[in-house]
Amino acid sequence: MTATVPPAPSDRPIPDPAGRVELPPGVTPADPRFVNDDLLPVPLARRRWTTYNFAALWVGMAHNIPSWMLASGLVALGMDWKQAVFTIALANVIVLAPMLLTGHAGPKYGIPFPVLARASFGLRGANLPALIRAGVACAWFGIQTWIGGQGIFVLLGKLFGGWAEASEIGGRPWTLWVCFVLFWALELAIIYRGMETLRRFENWAAPFVIVGALVLLAWIANKAGGLGPLLDQPSRLGWGDDFWPVFFPSLMGMIAFWSTLSLNIPDFTRFGAGQRAQVWGQTLGLPTTMTLFALLSVFVTSGSQAVYGAPLWDPVALAAKTDNVFGLLFALVTVLVATISVNIAANVVSPAYDLANLAPRRIGFRTGALITGVVGVVIMPWKLTETPELYIFTWLGLVGGLLGTVAGILIADYWLVRRTALDLPGLYTPGGPYWYASGWNPRAVAAFLTGGVLAVGGSHSAPGKGPFPEDGLIPFLKPLADYGWAVGLAASLLVYLALMAGHRRTTPQGLSDGP
């Protein structure tokens, strides 16, 4: 099959009063190399997510065990609770900006992230950022599934006993592996039913998880007779020369925690009823929830210090301290709901679309989700969370640098080069305005390589703490490594703008809008 001939100018997409655009009646791109049902724009009638839906999405994603443990990782690196919460709050205010900028294309055009990337990288070149995002999501899916499986293992062990003493496979009890596999299968079963099922799940999961966290706080505060002495513990770093070398890479790591979604947020906002819904929903949902959740984790851990003589940052380990069967069951269900909520939304939706973009005629949304599940196991997620250094500096730092580089190009192209005007049929049409050189935009690739090298080329690890050389992969770039996300975003944005300065651009009306 071949692509539909681009419509005459009079048949071009016409925005509705809210500024949203859909394909004209009867115009359906048909080239199977670039189109399937999951990649086509969402019709206006199906764009009905409200402010509450987006806020609930973020509440459901932010309330999860790794989010709870972010503060613990920072405290383990020497910060006090105030420094840790400040770092997390600032990171999420910063990452909200690219989240809203890239999210704008979703309600306006109804397109997912890999289709938006075609405008800057080309119809074929979009597979480069899509596969990077997919790979990161697969790894995150594995990490979250492993953590969720561990939570089930601990809590079921308290209920039934003897689980931890089971014979080992690969150095871990076989019962832990069973919990991991069962949790993995449950997640894929939910996402296999599609995005509407996800929306309904997030709507009730968000308030349920909030209630669960507050119950945990009330329980530990009651046992402690108030919150414990952790809030009075001084920082081992102070606010001087020892603090800043830890703060900046930690800030970049915290930004990297959600920088994944700053790329593929159009996968969700494409279902939005309008810009107001996605802007307010995300603003109310992301920075506030993450900050309050960090505070909640600190307060609960403070209580655990007072009750048990040592801080318990892992909410599963803390919940396992109770001997109340109802309490254990409630904690088990809360862990299940919280982890499923974030993992499906943040780490399965994106690679499902990204892999569909790679081979639309062979891979649909559901097949992409299954591939994500398999890859998430193959990467051995239990290795990525062994130490705070490996988790925050190596994994989150490297990921943030690469994803910041892609975000810089997307923002520069959509907002500064095209001023949000896209040729919607052209995003699916070989030989159209986004075909560039055989489907690749060499300017975007050059900007990506430049930003990527600057962002992660100086990656380094302390001796015995990670995979990189102590002096950095490229030693003279080592000073930039602690600012990887910001360096990648700024460098790629500026390089892309410079390279595109002489490129003639086309608006949906077929007129040049630039030199």
Side-chain angles (χ1 to χ4, degrees), residues 14 21 82 101 109 246 286 316-317 331 401:
I14 300 176
V21 179
K82 297 184 292 294
L101 291 175
Y109 295 102
V246 175
L286 171 58
V316 173

Side-chain angles (χ1 to χ4, degrees), residues 246-268:
V246 175
F247 169 75
F248 284 111
S250 297
L251 180 68
M252 294 300 108
M254 297 305 102
I255 291 173
F257 192 81
W258 289 122
S259 66
T260 50
L261 268 293
S262 71
L263 295 187
N264 75 286
I265 195 64
D267 293 344
F268 302 95

Side-chain angles (χ1 to χ4, degrees), residues 361-381:
R361 71 180 103 190
R362 296 185 179 88
I363 303 175
F365 181 83
R366 289 177 172 84
T367 304
L370 293 176
I371 294 173
T372 300
V374 172
V375 176
V377 175
V378 171
I379 56 95
M380 296 188 291

Side-chain angles (χ1 to χ4, degrees), residues 105-484:
K108 184 170 184 178
Y109 295 102
I111 54 177
F113 156 65
V115 175
L116 172 62
R118 293 175 181 180
S120 51
F121 282 85
L123 267 71
R124 288 175 172 155
N127 285 316
L128 173 62
L131 287 179
I132 291 173
R133 174 64 184 96
V136 171
C138 288
W140 267 123
F141 174 80
I143 290 172
Q144 291 275 9
T145 303
W146 176 251
I147 291 173
Q150 284 181 311
I152 298 170
F153 169 78
V154 170
L155 295 175
L156 286 180
K158 282 287 292 185
L159 284 172
F160 300 112
W163 281 56
E165 289 74 38
S167 58
E168 294 188 350
I169 299 176
R172 291 174 172 84
W174 68 264
T175 46
L176 174 56
W177 295 112
V178 168
C179 292
F180 174 60
V181 171
L182 289 177
F183 189 62
W184 174 89
L186 178 61
E187 291 175 309
L188 293 183
I190 293 174
I191 195 61
Y192 200 77
R193 297 179 61 86
M195 288 292 289
E196 186 61 21
T197 299
L198 173 64
R199 182 181 72 89
R200 292 195 297 266
F201 179 81
E202 294 290 350
N203 282 348
W204 69 264
F208 181 86
V209 174
I210 292 175
V211 170
L214 292 175
V215 167
L216 187 61
L217 175 61
W219 171 69
I220 196 65
N222 179 65
K223 289 183 70 69
L227 296 178
L230 189 72
L231 299 181
D232 297 326
Q233 294 298 309
S235 168
R236 300 198 308 271
L237 303 173
W239 289 93
D241 294 340
D242 292 333
F243 173 71
W244 302 111
V246 175
F247 169 75
F248 284 111
S250 297
L251 180 68
M252 294 300 108
M254 297 305 102
I255 291 173
F257 192 81
W258 289 122
S259 66
T260 50
L261 268 293
S262 71
L263 295 187
N264 75 286
I265 195 64
D267 293 344
F268 302 95
T269 61
R270 67 191 299 227
F271 298 96
Q275 295 299 339
R276 181 183 297 271
Q278 74 100 3
V279 170
W280 279 107
Q282 294 202 79
T283 302
L284 293 172
L286 171 58
T288 54
T289 300
M290 286 295 292
T291 302
L292 291 175
F293 208 52
L295 277 170
L296 190 60
S297 72
V298 168
F299 292 152
V300 171
T301 306
S302 169
S304 72
Q305 169 88 356
V307 174
Y308 300 108
L312 294 174
W313 285 98
D314 185 345
V316 173
L318 180 58
K321 290 288 187 179
T322 181
D323 292 321
N324 183 283
V325 174
F326 175 78
L328 286 168
L329 287 173
F330 182 79
L332 175 61
V333 173
T334 303
V335 167
L336 279 170
V337 171
T339 308
I340 290 174
S341 178
V342 63
N343 215 14
I344 293 176
N347 303 318
V348 179
V349 172
S350 172
Y353 283 125
D354 297 337
L355 293 168
N357 188 71
L358 179 65
R361 71 180 103 190
R362 296 185 179 88
I363 303 175
F365 181 83
R366 289 177 172 84
T367 304
L370 293 176
I371 294 173
T372 300
V374 172
V375 176
V377 175
V378 171
I379 56 95
M380 296 188 291
W382 44 90
K383 294 290 186 182
L384 291 175
T385 55
E386 287 183 337
T387 67
E389 291 84 3
L390 186 63
Y391 180 49
I392 294 177
F393 291 164
T394 301
W395 167 241
L396 290 179
L398 186 64
V399 163
L402 292 177
L403 297 183
T405 299
V406 175
I409 295 170
L410 294 183
I411 292 169
D413 183 81
Y414 183 69
W415 283 96
L416 302 178
V417 174
R418 307 187 192 281
R419 293 174 172 81
T420 77
L422 298 177
D423 182 330
L424 190 56
L427 291 169
Y428 302 89
T429 307
Y434 309 114
W435 190 241
Y436 300 106
S438 299
W440 287 81
N441 182 1
R443 300 169 184 85
V445 175
F448 173 77
L449 293 175
T450 303
V453 169
L454 292 174
V456 305
S459 297
H460 56 92
S461 302
K465 298 293 186 180
F468 302 120
E470 184 177 1
D471 294 330
L473 292 171
I474 304 175
F476 74 89
L477 293 178
K478 182 179 178 180
L480 299 181
D482 291 346
Y483 314 94

